[in-house]
Coordinates of all heavy atoms in Angstrom, one line a residue:
R1 N 5.6 -5.2 69.0 CA 4.9 -4.6 67.8 C 3.6 -3.8 68.3 O 3.0 -4.2 69.2 CB 4.4 -5.8 67.0 CG 5.6 -6.5 66.3 CD 5.3 -7.8 65.7 NE 4.2 -7.8 64.8 CZ 3.8 -8.8 64.1 NH1 4.5 -9.9 64.2 NH2 2.8 -8.8 63.3
S2 N 3.4 -2.8 67.5 CA 2.3 -2.0 67.9 C 0.9 -2.6 67.5 O 0.8 -3.3 66.5 CB 2.4 -0.7 67.0 OG 1.2 0.1 67.2
S3 N 0.0 -2.5 68.4 CA -1.4 -3.0 68.1 C -2.1 -2.2 67.1 O -3.1 -2.5 66.6 CB -2.2 -3.0 69.5 OG -2.3 -1.7 70.0
M4 N -1.5 -1.1 66.7 CA -2.1 -0.2 65.7 C -1.6 -0.7 64.3 O -2.1 -0.1 63.3 CB -1.7 1.2 65.9 CG -2.3 1.8 67.2 SD -4.0 1.7 67.3 CE -4.6 2.7 66.0
N5 N -0.7 -1.6 64.2 CA -0.3 -2.2 62.9 C -1.0 -3.5 62.7 O -0.8 -4.5 63.5 CB 1.2 -2.4 62.8 CG 1.9 -1.1 62.7 OD1 1.4 -0.2 62.1 ND2 3.1 -1.0 63.3
C6 N -1.8 -3.7 61.7 CA -2.5 -4.9 61.4 C -1.7 -5.6 60.4 O -1.6 -5.2 59.2 CB -3.9 -4.7 60.9 SG -4.9 -3.7 62.1
C7 N -1.0 -6.7 60.8 CA -0.1 -7.4 59.9 C -0.7 -8.8 59.5 O -1.3 -9.4 60.4 CB 1.3 -7.7 60.6 SG 2.1 -6.2 61.1
F8 N -0.6 -9.1 58.3 CA -1.1 -10.4 57.8 C -0.4 -10.8 56.5 O 0.3 -10.0 55.9 CB -2.6 -10.4 57.6 CG -3.1 -9.3 56.6 CD1 -3.4 -9.6 55.3 CD2 -3.3 -8.0 57.1 CE1 -3.8 -8.6 54.4 CE2 -3.8 -7.0 56.2 CZ -4.0 -7.3 54.9
S9 N -0.5 -12.1 56.2 CA 0.1 -12.6 55.1 C -0.8 -13.4 54.2 O -1.8 -14.0 54.7 CB 1.3 -13.6 55.5 OG 2.2 -12.9 56.3
L10 N -0.6 -13.5 52.9 CA -1.3 -14.3 52.0 C -0.4 -15.6 51.8 O 0.8 -15.5 51.9 CB -1.6 -13.6 50.7 CG -2.3 -12.3 50.8 CD1 -2.5 -11.6 49.5 CD2 -3.7 -12.5 51.5
T11 N -1.0 -16.7 51.5 CA -0.3 -17.9 51.4 C 0.6 -18.0 50.1 O 1.4 -18.9 50.0 CB -1.2 -19.1 51.4 OG1 -2.1 -19.0 50.4 CG2 -1.9 -19.2 52.8
D12 N 0.4 -17.1 49.2 CA 1.1 -17.1 47.9 C 1.6 -15.7 47.7 O 0.9 -14.7 47.7 CB 0.1 -17.5 46.8 CG 0.7 -17.6 45.4 OD1 1.6 -16.8 45.1 OD2 0.2 -18.5 44.7
Q13 N 2.9 -15.6 47.4 CA 3.6 -14.3 47.2 C 2.9 -13.5 46.0 O 2.8 -12.3 46.0 CB 5.1 -14.4 47.0 CG 5.8 -13.1 46.8 CD 5.7 -12.1 47.9 OE1 5.5 -12.5 49.1 NE2 5.7 -10.9 47.6
R14 N 2.5 -14.3 45.0 CA 1.9 -13.6 43.8 C 0.6 -12.9 44.2 O 0.2 -11.9 43.8 CB 1.6 -14.6 42.7 CG 2.9 -15.2 42.1 CD 2.6 -16.3 41.1 NE 2.0 -17.4 41.9 CZ 1.5 -18.5 41.4 NH1 1.4 -18.6 40.1 NH2 1.0 -19.4 42.2
L15 N -0.2 -13.5 45.2 CA -1.4 -12.9 45.7 C -1.1 -11.7 46.5 O -1.8 -10.7 46.4 CB -2.2 -13.9 46.5 CG -3.1 -14.9 45.8 CD1 -3.8 -15.8 46.8 CD2 -4.1 -14.2 44.9
T16 N 0.0 -11.7 47.2 CA 0.4 -10.5 48.0 C 0.7 -9.4 47.1 O 0.2 -8.2 47.3 CB 1.7 -10.8 48.9 OG1 1.4 -11.9 49.7 CG2 2.1 -9.6 49.6
E17 N 1.4 -9.6 46.0 CA 1.7 -8.5 45.0 C 0.4 -8.0 44.4 O 0.2 -6.8 44.2 CB 2.7 -9.0 44.0 CG 4.1 -9.4 44.5 CD 4.7 -8.2 45.2 OE1 4.6 -7.1 44.7 OE2 5.4 -8.4 46.2
R18 N -0.5 -8.9 44.1 CA -1.7 -8.6 43.4 C -2.6 -7.8 44.4 O -3.2 -6.8 44.1 CB -2.5 -9.8 43.0 CG -3.7 -9.5 42.2 CD -4.3 -10.8 41.6 NE -3.4 -11.3 40.6 CZ -3.4 -12.6 40.2 NH1 -4.3 -13.4 40.6 NH2 -2.5 -13.0 39.3
F19 N -2.6 -8.2 45.7 CA -3.3 -7.5 46.7 C -2.8 -6.0 46.8 O -3.6 -5.1 46.8 CB -3.2 -8.2 48.1 CG -3.9 -7.6 49.2 CD1 -5.2 -8.0 49.5 CD2 -3.4 -6.5 49.9 CE1 -5.9 -7.4 50.6 CE2 -4.1 -5.9 51.0 CZ -5.3 -6.4 51.3
V20 N -1.5 -5.9 47.0 CA -0.9 -4.5 47.1 C -1.3 -3.7 45.9 O -1.6 -2.5 46.0 CB 0.6 -4.6 47.4 CG1 1.2 -3.3 47.3 CG2 0.8 -5.3 48.7
Q21 N -1.1 -4.2 44.7 CA -1.4 -3.5 43.5 C -2.8 -3.1 43.4 O -3.1 -1.9 43.1 CB -1.0 -4.4 42.3 CG -1.3 -3.7 40.9 CD -1.1 -4.6 39.7 OE1 -0.6 -5.7 39.9 NE2 -1.4 -4.1 38.6
Q22 N -3.7 -4.0 43.6 CA -5.2 -3.7 43.5 C -5.6 -2.7 44.6 O -6.4 -1.8 44.4 CB -6.0 -5.0 43.6 CG -5.9 -5.8 42.3 CD -6.7 -7.1 42.3 OE1 -7.6 -7.3 43.2 NE2 -6.4 -8.0 41.4
A23 N -5.0 -2.8 45.8 CA -5.3 -1.9 46.8 C -4.9 -0.5 46.4 O -5.6 0.5 46.6 CB -4.6 -2.3 48.1
R24 N -3.7 -0.4 45.8 CA -3.1 0.9 45.4 C -4.0 1.5 44.4 O -4.3 2.7 44.4 CB -1.7 0.7 44.8 CG -1.0 2.0 44.5 CD 0.4 1.8 43.9 NE 1.2 1.0 44.8 CZ 1.7 -0.1 44.4 NH1 1.5 -0.6 43.2 NH2 2.5 -0.9 45.2
E25 N -4.6 0.7 43.4 CA -5.5 1.2 42.4 C -6.7 1.8 43.0 O -7.4 2.6 42.4 CB -5.8 0.1 41.5 CG -4.7 -0.3 40.6 CD -4.9 -1.7 39.8 OE1 -6.0 -2.2 39.9 OE2 -4.0 -2.1 39.1
R26 N -7.1 1.4 44.2 CA -8.3 1.9 45.0 C -7.9 3.0 46.0 O -8.7 3.3 46.8 CB -9.0 0.7 45.6 CG -9.6 -0.2 44.7 CD -10.0 -1.5 45.3 NE -10.7 -2.4 44.4 CZ -10.1 -3.1 43.4 NH1 -8.8 -3.1 43.2 NH2 -10.8 -3.9 42.7
G27 N -6.7 3.4 45.9 CA -6.3 4.5 46.8 C -5.8 4.1 48.2 O -5.6 4.9 49.1
L28 N -5.6 2.8 48.4 CA -5.2 2.2 49.6 C -3.7 2.0 49.5 O -3.2 1.1 48.8 CB -5.9 0.9 49.9 CG -7.4 1.0 50.0 CD1 -8.1 -0.3 50.0 CD2 -7.8 1.8 51.3
I29 N -2.9 2.9 50.1 CA -1.4 2.9 49.8 C -0.6 2.5 51.1 O -1.2 2.4 52.2 CB -1.0 4.3 49.3 CG1 -1.3 5.3 50.4 CG2 -1.6 4.6 48.0 CD1 -0.8 6.7 50.0
N30 N 0.6 2.3 50.9 CA 1.6 1.9 51.9 C 1.2 0.7 52.7 O 1.3 0.6 53.9 CB 1.8 3.1 52.9 CG 2.3 4.3 52.2 OD1 3.2 4.2 51.3 ND2 1.9 5.5 52.6
L31 N 0.7 -0.4 52.0 CA 0.3 -1.6 52.7 C 1.4 -2.7 52.7 O 1.2 -3.7 53.3 CB -0.9 -2.1 52.0 CG -2.2 -1.3 52.2 CD1 -3.4 -1.9 51.4 CD2 -2.5 -1.2 53.7
R32 N 2.5 -2.5 51.9 CA 3.5 -3.5 51.9 C 4.1 -3.6 53.3 O 4.3 -2.7 54.0 CB 4.6 -3.1 50.9 CG 5.6 -4.1 50.6 CD 6.5 -3.8 49.5 NE 5.8 -3.5 48.2 CZ 5.2 -4.4 47.4 NH1 5.2 -5.7 47.7 NH2 4.6 -4.0 46.3
G33 N 4.3 -4.9 53.7 CA 4.8 -5.2 55.0 C 6.2 -4.7 55.2 O 6.9 -4.2 54.3
H34 N 6.7 -4.8 56.4 CA 8.1 -4.5 56.8 C 9.1 -5.2 56.0 O 8.9 -6.4 55.6 CB 8.3 -4.8 58.3 CG 9.5 -4.3 58.9 ND1 10.7 -5.0 58.7 CD2 9.8 -3.2 59.5 CE1 11.7 -4.3 59.3 NE2 11.2 -3.2 59.8
G35 N 10.2 -4.6 55.6 CA 11.2 -5.2 54.7 C 11.7 -6.5 55.2 O 11.9 -7.4 54.4
A36 N 11.9 -6.6 56.5 CA 12.4 -7.9 57.1 C 11.4 -8.9 57.3 O 11.7 -10.1 57.3 CB 13.1 -7.6 58.4
R37 N 10.1 -8.5 57.4 CA 9.1 -9.5 57.7 C 8.2 -9.8 56.4 O 7.7 -10.9 56.3 CB 8.2 -8.9 58.8 CG 7.0 -9.8 59.2 CD 6.5 -9.2 60.5 NE 5.1 -9.7 60.7 CZ 4.8 -11.0 61.0 NH1 5.8 -11.9 61.2 NH2 3.6 -11.4 61.3
G38 N 8.0 -8.9 55.6 CA 7.2 -9.1 54.4 C 5.7 -9.0 54.7 O 5.3 -8.5 55.7
G39 N 4.9 -9.6 53.8 CA 3.5 -9.7 54.1 C 2.9 -8.3 53.8 O 3.3 -7.5 53.0
I40 N 1.8 -8.0 54.5 CA 1.0 -6.8 54.4 C 0.9 -6.2 55.8 O 0.7 -6.9 56.8 CB -0.3 -7.1 53.8 CG1 -0.1 -7.7 52.4 CG2 -1.2 -5.9 53.7 CD1 -1.3 -8.3 51.7
R41 N 1.0 -4.9 55.9 CA 0.8 -4.2 57.1 C 0.0 -2.9 56.9 O 0.4 -2.1 56.1 CB 2.2 -3.8 57.7 CG 2.1 -3.0 59.0 CD 3.4 -2.8 59.6 NE 4.2 -1.9 58.7 CZ 5.5 -1.5 58.9 NH1 6.1 -1.9 60.0 NH2 6.1 -0.8 58.1
A42 N -1.1 -2.8 57.6 CA -2.0 -1.6 57.6 C -1.8 -0.9 58.9 O -2.0 -1.5 60.0 CB -3.4 -2.0 57.4
S43 N -1.3 0.3 58.9 CA -1.1 1.1 60.1 C -2.3 2.0 60.3 O -2.7 2.7 59.4 CB 0.2 2.0 59.9 OG 1.3 1.2 59.8
L44 N -2.9 1.8 61.5 CA -4.2 2.4 61.7 C -4.0 3.5 62.9 O -4.8 3.5 63.8 CB -5.2 1.4 62.1 CG -5.4 0.3 61.1 CD1 -6.4 -0.8 61.6 CD2 -5.8 0.8 59.8
Y45 N -3.1 4.3 62.7 CA -2.9 5.4 63.7 C -3.9 6.5 63.6 O -4.8 6.5 62.8 CB -1.4 5.9 63.6 CG -0.4 4.9 64.0 CD1 0.2 4.1 63.0 CD2 0.0 4.7 65.3 CE1 1.2 3.2 63.4 CE2 0.9 3.8 65.7 CZ 1.5 3.0 64.7 OH 2.4 2.1 65.1
N46 N -3.8 7.5 64.4 CA -4.8 8.6 64.5 C -5.1 9.2 63.2 O -6.2 9.7 63.0 CB -4.3 9.7 65.5 CG -4.3 9.1 67.0 OD1 -4.9 8.1 67.2 ND2 -3.5 9.8 67.8
A47 N -4.1 9.3 62.3 CA -4.3 10.0 61.0 C -5.2 9.2 60.1 O -5.6 9.7 59.1 CB -3.0 10.3 60.4
M48 N -5.4 7.9 60.4 CA -6.2 7.1 59.5 C -7.7 7.2 59.9 O -8.1 6.9 61.0 CB -5.8 5.6 59.7 CG -6.8 4.6 59.0 SD -7.0 4.8 57.3 CE -5.5 4.0 56.7
P49 N -8.5 7.8 59.1 CA -9.9 8.0 59.4 C -10.7 6.7 59.4 O -10.3 5.7 58.7 CB -10.4 9.0 58.3 CG -9.5 8.7 57.2 CD -8.2 8.4 57.8
A50 N -11.8 6.6 60.1 CA -12.6 5.4 60.1 C -13.0 5.0 58.7 O -13.1 3.8 58.4 CB -13.8 5.6 61.0
S51 N -13.3 6.0 57.8 CA -13.7 5.7 56.5 C -12.6 4.9 55.7 O -12.9 4.1 54.9 CB -14.1 6.9 55.7 OG -13.0 7.8 55.6
G52 N -11.3 5.2 56.0 CA -10.2 4.5 55.4 C -10.1 3.1 55.8 O -9.9 2.1 55.1
V53 N -10.4 2.8 57.1 CA -10.4 1.5 57.7 C -11.6 0.7 57.0 O -11.4 -0.5 56.6 CB -10.6 1.5 59.2 CG1 -10.7 0.1 59.7 CG2 -9.4 2.2 59.9
E54 N -12.7 1.3 56.9 CA -13.9 0.7 56.3 C -13.6 0.3 54.8 O -13.9 -0.8 54.3 CB -15.1 1.5 56.4 CG -15.6 1.7 57.8 CD -16.6 2.8 58.0 OE1 -17.0 3.5 57.0 OE2 -17.0 3.0 59.2
R55 N -12.9 1.2 54.1 CA -12.6 0.9 52.7 C -11.6 -0.2 52.6 O -11.7 -1.1 51.7 CB -12.0 2.2 52.0 CG -13.0 3.3 51.7 CD -12.4 4.5 51.0 NE -11.4 4.2 50.0 CZ -10.2 4.9 49.9 NH1 -9.9 5.8 50.8 NH2 -9.4 4.6 49.0
L56 N -10.6 -0.3 53.5 CA -9.7 -1.4 53.5 C -10.4 -2.7 53.8 O -10.2 -3.7 53.1 CB -8.6 -1.1 54.5 CG -7.6 -2.3 54.7 CD1 -6.9 -2.6 53.3 CD2 -6.5 -1.9 55.7
A57 N -11.3 -2.7 54.8 CA -12.0 -3.9 55.2 C -12.9 -4.4 54.0 O -12.9 -5.6 53.7 CB -12.9 -3.7 56.4
T58 N -13.5 -3.5 53.3 CA -14.4 -3.9 52.2 C -13.5 -4.4 51.1 O -13.8 -5.5 50.5 CB -15.1 -2.6 51.6 OG1 -16.0 -2.2 52.7 CG2 -15.9 -3.0 50.4
F59 N -12.4 -3.8 50.8 CA -11.5 -4.3 49.7 C -11.0 -5.7 50.1 O -10.9 -6.6 49.3 CB -10.3 -3.4 49.5 CG -9.2 -4.0 48.7 CD1 -9.4 -4.2 47.3 CD2 -8.0 -4.4 49.2 CE1 -8.4 -4.8 46.6 CE2 -7.0 -5.0 48.5 CZ -7.2 -5.2 47.1
M60 N -10.6 -5.9 51.4 CA -10.1 -7.2 51.8 C -11.2 -8.3 51.6 O -10.9 -9.4 51.2 CB -9.7 -7.1 53.3 CG -8.4 -6.3 53.5 SD -8.1 -6.0 55.2 CE -7.6 -7.7 55.7
E61 N -12.4 -8.0 52.0 CA -13.5 -8.9 51.8 C -13.7 -9.3 50.3 O -13.9 -10.5 50.0 CB -14.8 -8.4 52.4 CG -14.8 -8.3 53.9 CD -16.0 -7.5 54.5 OE1 -16.7 -6.9 53.7 OE2 -16.2 -7.6 55.7
E62 N -13.7 -8.3 49.5 CA -13.9 -8.5 48.0 C -12.7 -9.3 47.5 O -12.9 -10.3 46.7 CB -14.0 -7.2 47.3 CG -15.2 -6.4 47.6 CD -15.2 -5.0 47.1 OE1 -14.2 -4.5 46.6 OE2 -16.2 -4.3 47.3
F63 N -11.5 -9.0 47.9 CA -10.3 -9.7 47.4 C -10.4 -11.2 47.8 O -10.2 -12.1 47.1 CB -9.1 -9.1 47.9 CG -7.8 -9.6 47.4 CD1 -7.3 -9.0 46.2 CD2 -7.1 -10.6 48.0 CE1 -6.1 -9.5 45.7 CE2 -5.9 -11.1 47.4 CZ -5.4 -10.5 46.3
A64 N -10.7 -11.4 49.1 CA -10.8 -12.8 49.6 C -11.9 -13.6 48.9 O -11.7 -14.7 48.5 CB -11.1 -12.8 51.1
E65 N -13.0 -12.9 48.6 CA -14.1 -13.6 47.9 C -13.7 -14.1 46.5 O -13.9 -15.2 46.1 CB -15.3 -12.7 47.8 CG -16.5 -13.4 47.2 CD -17.8 -12.6 47.3 OE1 -18.0 -11.8 48.3 OE2 -18.5 -12.6 46.3
I66 N -13.0 -13.2 45.8 CA -12.5 -13.5 44.5 C -11.5 -14.6 44.5 O -11.6 -15.6 43.7 CB -11.9 -12.3 43.8 CG1 -13.0 -11.2 43.5 CG2 -11.1 -12.6 42.5 CD1 -12.4 -9.9 43.1
Y67 N -10.5 -14.5 45.3 CA -9.4 -15.5 45.3 C -9.6 -16.7 46.1 O -8.9 -17.8 45.9 CB -8.1 -14.8 45.6 CG -7.8 -13.8 44.5 CD1 -8.0 -12.4 44.7 CD2 -7.3 -14.2 43.3 CE1 -7.7 -11.5 43.7 CE2 -7.0 -13.3 42.3 CZ -7.3 -12.0 42.5 OH -7.0 -11.1 41.5
Q68 N -10.5 -16.8 47.0 CA -10.8 -18.0 47.8 C -11.7 -18.9 47.0 O -11.8 -20.1 47.3 CB -11.4 -17.7 49.2 CG -10.4 -17.2 50.1 CD -11.0 -17.0 51.5 OE1 -12.2 -16.9 51.7 NE2 -10.1 -16.9 52.5
N69 N -12.5 -18.4 46.1 CA -13.5 -19.2 45.4 C -13.0 -19.7 44.0 O -13.7 -20.2 43.2 CB -14.7 -18.3 45.1 CG -15.5 -18.1 46.4 OD1 -15.4 -18.9 47.3 ND2 -16.1 -16.9 46.5
R70 N -11.7 -19.6 43.8 CA -11.1 -20.2 42.5 C -10.9 -21.6 42.7 O -10.8 -22.2 43.8 CB -9.8 -19.5 42.2 CG -10.0 -18.1 41.8 CD -8.7 -17.4 41.4 NE -9.0 -16.2 40.7 CZ -8.3 -15.8 39.6 NH1 -7.3 -16.5 39.3 NH2 -8.6 -14.7 39.0
S71 N -10.7 -22.3 41.6 CA -10.5 -23.8 41.7 C -9.3 -24.2 42.5 O -9.2 -25.2 43.0 CB -10.4 -24.4 40.3 OG -9.4 -23.8 39.6
D72 N -8.3 -23.3 42.5 CA -7.1 -23.5 43.3 C -7.1 -22.9 44.6 O -6.1 -22.5 45.2 CB -5.8 -23.1 42.5 CG -5.9 -21.6 42.1 OD1 -6.9 -21.0 42.3 OD2 -4.8 -21.2 41.7
S73 N -8.3 -22.8 45.2 CA -8.5 -22.0 46.4 C -7.7 -22.6 47.6 O -7.3 -21.8 48.5 CB -10.0 -21.9 46.8 OG -10.5 -23.2 47.1
A74 N -7.5 -23.9 47.6 CA -6.7 -24.4 48.8 C -5.3 -23.8 48.8 O -4.8 -23.5 49.9 CB -6.6 -25.9 48.6
R75 N -4.7 -23.5 47.7 CA -3.4 -22.9 47.7 C -3.5 -21.4 48.0 O -2.5 -20.8 48.4 CB -2.8 -23.1 46.3 CG -1.3 -22.8 46.3 CD -0.7 -23.0 44.9 NE -0.9 -21.8 44.2 CZ -1.4 -21.8 43.0 NH1 -1.9 -22.8 42.4 NH2 -1.6 -20.6 42.4
N76 N -4.6 -20.8 47.7 CA -4.7 -19.3 47.7 C -5.4 -18.8 49.0 O -5.7 -17.6 49.0 CB -5.3 -18.8 46.5 CG -4.5 -19.0 45.3 OD1 -3.3 -19.1 45.4 ND2 -5.1 -19.2 44.1
R77 N -5.7 -19.6 49.9 CA -6.5 -19.1 51.1 C -5.7 -18.0 51.8 O -4.5 -18.1 51.9 CB -6.8 -20.3 52.0 CG -7.9 -21.1 51.4 CD -8.8 -21.7 52.5 NE -9.9 -22.3 51.8 CZ -10.0 -23.5 51.4 NH1 -9.0 -24.3 51.6 NH2 -11.1 -24.0 50.8
L78 N -6.4 -17.1 52.4 CA -5.8 -16.1 53.2 C -5.5 -16.6 54.6 O -6.2 -17.4 55.1 CB -6.8 -14.9 53.4 CG -7.1 -14.2 52.1 CD1 -8.2 -13.1 52.4 CD2 -6.0 -13.6 51.4
S79 N -4.4 -16.2 55.1 CA -4.0 -16.6 56.5 C -3.6 -15.4 57.3 O -2.9 -14.6 56.8 CB -2.9 -17.7 56.5 OG -1.7 -17.1 56.0
V80 N -4.1 -15.3 58.5 CA -3.8 -14.2 59.4 C -2.7 -14.5 60.3 O -2.7 -15.6 60.9 CB -5.0 -13.8 60.2 CG1 -4.7 -12.7 61.1 CG2 -6.2 -13.4 59.3
D81 N -1.7 -13.7 60.4 CA -0.6 -13.9 61.3 C -1.1 -13.9 62.8 O -2.0 -13.1 63.1 CB 0.5 -12.8 61.2 CG 1.2 -12.9 59.9 OD1 1.1 -14.0 59.2 OD2 1.9 -12.0 59.5
S82 N -0.5 -14.7 63.6 CA -0.9 -14.6 65.0 C 0.0 -13.7 65.8 O 1.0 -13.2 65.4 CB -0.9 -16.0 65.6 OG 0.4 -16.6 65.4

Protein backbone atom coordinates (compact mmCIF):
# COMPACT_ATOMS: atom_id res chain seq x y z
CA ARG A 1 0.00 0.00 0.00
CA SER A 2 1.14 3.47 -0.78
CA SER A 3 2.21 5.67 2.12
CA MET A 4 0.49 8.49 0.24
CA ASN A 5 -2.91 6.89 0.92
CA CYS A 6 -4.19 7.61 4.41
CA CYS A 7 -6.70 4.85 5.15
CA PHE A 8 -8.92 4.74 8.20
CA SER A 9 -12.24 3.38 9.35
CA LEU A 10 -15.03 4.53 11.59
CA THR A 11 -16.53 2.00 13.98
CA ASP A 12 -20.03 2.49 12.57
CA GLN A 13 -20.91 2.28 8.85
CA ARG A 14 -23.55 5.00 9.30
CA LEU A 15 -20.82 7.34 10.53
CA THR A 16 -18.68 6.47 7.52
CA GLU A 17 -21.50 7.46 5.18
CA ARG A 18 -22.11 10.66 7.16
CA PHE A 19 -18.37 11.47 7.11
CA VAL A 20 -18.15 11.05 3.33
CA GLN A 21 -21.33 13.07 2.76
CA GLN A 22 -20.33 15.94 5.05
CA ALA A 23 -16.82 15.98 3.59
CA ARG A 24 -18.29 16.20 0.08
CA GLU A 25 -20.45 19.14 1.20
CA ARG A 26 -17.21 20.89 2.18
CA GLY A 27 -15.55 20.18 -1.15
CA LEU A 28 -13.53 17.22 0.10
CA ILE A 29 -14.17 14.58 -2.54
CA ASN A 30 -13.15 11.02 -3.45
CA LEU A 31 -12.70 9.91 0.14
CA ARG A 32 -14.61 6.64 -0.09
CA GLY A 33 -12.27 3.74 0.55
CA HIS A 34 -11.27 1.00 -1.85
CA GLY A 35 -14.19 -1.14 -3.01
CA ALA A 36 -12.75 -4.33 -1.50
CA ARG A 37 -11.57 -2.73 1.73
CA GLY A 38 -14.14 -0.04 2.47
CA GLY A 39 -13.57 2.67 5.03
CA ILE A 40 -12.11 6.00 4.05
CA ARG A 41 -9.01 6.74 1.99
CA ALA A 42 -7.44 10.13 1.42
CA SER A 43 -4.87 10.15 -1.37
CA LEU A 44 -2.22 12.80 -0.74
CA TYR A 45 -0.20 12.71 -3.94
CA ASN A 46 1.61 15.67 -5.52
CA ALA A 47 -1.60 17.14 -6.91
CA MET A 48 -3.00 17.57 -3.38
CA PRO A 49 -2.01 21.02 -2.10
CA ALA A 50 -1.08 21.48 1.55
CA SER A 51 -4.20 23.60 1.99
CA GLY A 52 -6.34 20.58 1.01
CA VAL A 53 -4.62 18.43 3.62
CA GLU A 54 -5.20 21.14 6.22
CA ARG A 55 -8.90 21.39 5.28
CA LEU A 56 -9.27 17.62 5.59
CA ALA A 57 -7.51 17.57 8.97
CA THR A 58 -9.72 20.39 10.27
CA PHE A 59 -12.86 18.59 9.07
CA MET A 60 -11.71 15.34 10.69
CA GLU A 61 -11.14 17.10 14.02
CA GLU A 62 -14.56 18.77 13.88
CA PHE A 63 -16.29 15.53 12.91
CA ALA A 64 -14.56 13.60 15.70
CA GLU A 65 -15.46 16.25 18.25
CA ILE A 66 -19.14 16.15 17.28
CA TYR A 67 -19.52 12.37 17.16
CA GLN A 68 -17.18 11.37 20.00
CA ASN A 69 -19.00 13.59 22.49
CA ARG A 70 -22.46 12.08 22.01
CA SER A 71 -24.04 9.94 24.69
CA ASP A 72 -23.39 6.86 22.54
CA SER A 73 -19.74 7.82 22.04
CA ALA A 74 -18.40 4.40 23.01
CA ARG A 75 -20.03 2.97 19.90
CA ASN A 76 -19.05 5.86 17.64
CA ARG A 77 -15.37 6.36 18.47
CA LEU A 78 -13.00 6.78 15.55
CA SER A 79 -10.45 4.05 15.01
CA VAL A 80 -7.38 4.32 12.82
CA ASP A 81 -6.30 1.33 10.76
CA SER A 82 -2.83 0.06 11.51
